[in-house]
Amino acid sequence: MSDDDDDGPEYDINFRVNPDEYEIGRGEQDVFKCEPYKGELLPLWSIKTLDSAEDGAEAIYKKFCEYRDTNEFPGMDLARKYLQMGWTRAMRYAKYPGGQKYEDGEEREAQEWYDDEKREIALVYKQYLDQLRDDDTYQHRRQEWKQEESEES
C-alpha cells in the first residue's frame, strides 16, 4: 500500500492473499478498507445495546483467535482495531450527548457519565481489547511486522 491508496473507499487488495501489503497504521486507520477482514468483522461489531456489544466483542475476539491460529497477522490486527473502535466509539457516546464531541466548532465539555449503558458497552470492548493486546502471539507478530515495515521503508 502506498500513501496514494488512501483516497479510495477500499483498497483493491485481498489482504488474505497478499498479507505483505498490510501496514499497521495508526489507531483504527483502514478498519473499513481491508478486505476480506472488513467483511468478516464489521457485521459482528455493534455498540447499539449492551447485549449486541457483548455478542459482538466476543465474536470479534473469536475471529482474532482464528486468525492467530492460522497466522494471519492482518486479520489479527484488524480484529484489534474493531475492538478498539468499539471501545472508543462507545466511550464517546458515554461522555457526549449523541456522541457529538464538538458543537458549533467548539469542543464540548466531557460529561461523566452522560450515557451509562454506552460506558458499560465501552468496558466490554476494552476487556476484550486488553485480552487481545496481552496475547503473547499477537505481541510477537506485531513486533515482527513493525520490524519488517521499518526495514522496507
Side-chain angles (χ1 to χ4, degrees), residues 114-146:
Y114 172 75
D115 186 327
D116 289 329
E117 184 182 35
K118 291 297 190 233
R119 181 173 182 271
E120 290 300 315
I121 290 168
L123 295 175
V124 166
Y125 275 98
K126 181 74 163 85
Q127 174 189 352
Y128 282 100
L129 176 62
D130 289 345
Q131 193 174 339
L132 184 155
R133 286 178 172 162
D134 290 342
D135 185 90
D136 291 336
T137 302
Y138 175 74
Q139 288 179 11
H140 179 73
R141 290 292 291 131
R142 181 177 168 89
Q143 188 63 32
E144 285 180 343
W145 206 270
K146 289 182 114 181

Side-chain angles (χ1 to χ4, degrees), residues 15 19-24 34 73-74 77-78 81 145 149:
F15 289 94
D20 293 343
E21 295 291 322
Y22 180 74
E23 295 174 4
I24 293 173
C34 295
F73 180 75
D77 197 51
L78 283 158
K81 290 181 180 196
W145 206 270
E149 284 182 345

Side-chain angles (χ1 to χ4, degrees), residues 23 26 28 40-41 44-46 52-53 55 66 75 78 84 89-90 93 97 113 119 123 126-127 129 131 138 149:
E23 295 174 4
R26 294 181 333 157
E28 300 149 21
E40 296 169 0
L41 296 168
L44 305 174
W45 186 90
S46 175
S52 67
D55 291 345
E66 290 174 22
L78 283 158
Q84 183 172 322
R89 295 293 194 287
Y93 278 89
W113 298 102
R119 181 173 182 271
L123 295 175
K126 181 74 163 85
Q127 174 189 352
L129 176 62
Q131 193 174 339
Y138 175 74
E149 284 182 345

Side-chain angles (χ1 to χ4, degrees), residues 42-81:
L42 183 57
L44 305 174
W45 186 90
S46 175
I47 61 168
K48 190 170 186 171
T49 66
L50 183 56
D51 285 343
S52 67
E54 288 171 341
D55 291 345
E58 181 180 7
I60 292 167
Y61 186 79
K62 284 181 179 178
K63 291 298 288 181
F64 161 77
C65 293
E66 290 174 22
Y67 300 142
R68 181 193 60 205
D69 294 345
T70 56
N71 198 30
E72 293 181 56
F73 180 75
M76 292 167 62
D77 197 51
L78 283 158
R80 174 198 52 89
K81 290 181 180 196

